[in-house]
Amino acid sequence: MALQLYNVAPRIPSELEFLEKLAGNIWWCWHPLAVELFVRMDPGLWREVNGNARMFLRKVSGRRLIELSHDAGFLRHLKNVQAEFDRQVGKVTAPADRNVAYFSLEYGIHESIPIFSGGLGVLAGDHLKAASDMNLPLVAVGLLYRQGYFRQVLDRTGLQMEHYPVAEIHDLPVTRGCDPQGEPVTISMPLGERTLYAAAWVLWVGNVPLVLLDTELPQNPPDLREVTWRLYGGDKRMRLHQELLLGIGGVKALLAMGFNPEVCHMNEGHAGFLSLARLEHLVNDLNYDPDVALEVVWRSNIFTTHTPVPAGNEVFDINLVRPYLAPFAKAAKFDPERIISWGVPITSRGHASEMSMTVFGLRMAANYSNGVSKLHGEVARAMWKHLWPQRSAAEIPIGHITNGVHITSWVSSRYCQLYERYLSHRWLSNPDIVQLTSELAALPDDELWTTHELCRQSLIRYVRQLVKRNFRYMTGSPADMDKKRPLLQPDALTIGFARRFATYKRGTLLLRDRERLLALLRDKNRPVQFIFAGKAHPADNEGKQLIRQLIEFAQQENVQHKFVFLENYDIGMARHLVQGVDVWLNTPRRPQEASGTSGMKAAINGVVNCSILDGWWAEAYNGENGWAIEGNDYYTEDEDRDNFESQQLFNLLENEIIPCFYERIGSDLPTRWVARMKASIATGLGFFSSARMVGDYNRKYYQPAGKAYEQLTADNAAAAAKLVAAKRRLVENFLGDKLSVGNPVVQGSLSDLHVGDRIAVTVTVNLGALRPDEVEVDAYSGSADAHNELTDSTATALAMVEDRGNGEYLYGGEVECGVAGRFGLTARIKAAGRDWDNSVPGFMCWPR
């Protein structure tokens, strides 16, 4: 049967027309006054539709709309929201002026938009919100999943099952993406021997357009329509299809819509294939030589790696990916094997069976790559050191920008009102930490504690309502829970643990000593209660068993009223948890937690963190703003480490956390606890906002990469062409074994040195066909470990002191002994200047 489909919108009174515009831009979700506007219309319906503004407007009754159109108070409220909306979003940047494109496979913006799975997506959503607040000229790209990530359902035994409800596109705040002539954009791209079509949609996040690609089109056969059905669903081939669509299809869609980004930011390796589309565009549309295009692309891309866990670093079998890359390689005039080699470490070439998207991303953004916390930056440099052989970790070009959270998306309305009364107007965006600390010290303890208690009580009500609706894995009945054993106490110490249930996050660490745990749960004088939530990946059976173990423990020990697991963790539930618990618990195996942003969200709500010193907490913890679970790096077996750290956690709970919470000296206030709350707030607001994070990206990466693009492409890419010519000489000489450098010759002895001494060094080199001005000769020194390898390094440039003819030169200089310790000394030749410091391969020559 042939059907013509159409939608019928509600008839909105003219006085309320702005509501349609508001519901069409997700800006409302981080502005409390706008949220209150929708709630005011029909609180029950708003809860029923899970805060979906488009669906809400479609379902609200015509009678109610007419009533509101004559309600002076509501109209005044509407006018205030409209004024703020126009102030922040009224001036829209033209597509051609948006020079930064941000690519991510998922976005967690609001629970009503199911295109996210967890932390990576929520971070991306917060990134876009902050970019909107800062009015950055940014456009984002993702996929429009019809089923998204799964809805978690737990059976009576606590086993996770996955349901995939279909999102109706007319209930999402999206409109068709159009070209400059106003025609809807549908892109096509080769997918092996077939063609994939995708429609472009736009979801406005404030003043940032998020372009979403949708393959649910009649032009596609059934299996290709499934490409944008499920996030992280299907097999490796489906994942490859999704990543090709995100990267290559995403760039094609942007160009068709009139965007021409100078800088492309890959949020994880999923977006790595965008480099191929950029190369094709520069070669075919701007007539650049392929090698010239390559210099432009890798010097203006940005790559962020988010995890040291192997499962999070995507790899594809080379035999699988080769036929897919062939048409794109041909279009960009590159050999497919050369493109594949960009995703293979140098040490593995010739025998590699897999192409790493992380390696590919690092290669294609070697000037601007980063981890997501200070510790993760160190871990990433060590993890990917083999991409830049013979360099110390300090010279590996992977920096760090620590994640942050979007404050107004996560702070409770009660805390927001409190901060508005007592803190400066800059509390939302990078407040001065000295001023912030002083203002928090002056904030009355009783007001802060009352605010927090109200938030905890709201959380308890929320949890009780959830459990009544989803009671299948609770023993007894809802009535018994209400009468005999109330579910959770509103004034008890409440500890929250909510995150993805992966094994390295150790969600069951407390179960390693059940006797101590039960003693805490059964203490009537100082009651303690725990709330857990989180999903395991559908293919992660070990993660599913962790969830099941928590639920089984509560069932078997009859503590379900104090040890609660909440079903179907999402953004809405996360807001309630981070705003209402007293302690936020985090127990990853160090150093596998790259950042972890849930603790930041808790901190801005006065919640105190108790965490392993991993990710963000390794740089945030100061001894006053929470507790650190002591680790022991001498344990090499996970079992031993888990046992030790679980005991450390119980020691903290029994000896510090619980006594501090229940301590009342001379008043009804837990004074020491409130002091930690204030320190926690200062840490969260002062250092870990997405405003600070996006500001760092803009200052350290977006602006420099944009300038690099402009310089490289000026005068028909003359600067890039010059780099290509220089590179060919460097390749011929450095990689053709035409250079040599001798071991440094030291004048005097290395056996009796002290801080402040200087070591006179000479080095004989042969530069082959290169000129001295094309190279730099260094004395290379640094701390030496037990394996006689340098753990850090300092390069001291040497001066040419003699031209001996036939390409041989003598260089000399002095190396200063700056600190005490055990050091190593060698020499190297490198390409002159900074143009090639981060390139792969690196142009360096070392003594043989």
Side-chain angles (χ1 to χ4, degrees), residues 8-13 16-25 28 37-39 41-42 45-46 49 51-62 64-65 68 74 78 170-171:
V8 178
R11 189 176 299 279
I12 305 290
L16 308 181
E17 282 181 352
F18 173 68
L19 287 173
E20 291 187 284
K21 186 175 184 180
L22 182 63
N25 189 321
W28 62 262
L37 187 71
F38 288 121
V39 174
M41 294 172 68
D42 189 332
L45 179 60
W46 183 252
V49 301
N52 183 322
R54 289 285 285 267
M55 185 186 297
F56 178 78
L57 279 189
R58 182 167 57 83
K59 289 190 171 186
V60 72
S61 72
R64 180 59 177 153
L65 291 173
L68 292 169
F74 182 83
L78 179 68
H170 63 271
D171 284 332

Side-chain angles (χ1 to χ4, degrees), residues 23 30 131 469 695 725 848:
W30 74 89
R469 293 200 299 266
R848 294 184 175 86

Side-chain angles (χ1 to χ4, degrees), residues 1-8:
M1 181 185 298
L3 295 177
Q4 295 188 49
L5 302 178
Y6 58 93
N7 295 319
V8 178

Side-chain angles (χ1 to χ4, degrees), residues 712-735:
L712 290 166
T713 57
D715 300 323
N716 197 29
K722 185 177 180 181
L723 286 171
V724 170
K727 184 176 185 177
R728 287 172 180 155
R729 280 180 54 79
L730 295 173
V731 167
E732 180 182 352
N733 285 273
F734 275 90
L735 304 187

Side-chain angles (χ1 to χ4, degrees), residues 497-514 517 530 532-533 542-554 563 565 585-589 639 642-643 645-647 649-650:
F497 180 101
R499 51 193 27 88
R500 182 166 57 90
F501 265 72
T503 51
Y504 79 89
K505 293 179 181 283
R506 299 188 299 183
T508 57
L509 195 64
L510 285 164
L511 300 188
R512 287 188 166 267
D513 195 330
R514 298 190 176 207
L517 177 56
F530 294 85
F532 293 85
E542 289 183 273
K544 292 181 182 181
Q545 286 305 312
L546 297 179
I547 295 172
R548 193 173 195 173
Q549 290 168 25
L550 291 170
I551 292 172
E552 285 181 343
F553 166 78
F563 198 84
F565 194 100
L585 182 62
N586 189 28
T587 55
R589 287 195 186 101
E639 183 72 12
D642 293 353
N643 285 330
E645 292 177 358
S646 71
Q647 295 304 306
L649 171 56
F650 278 110

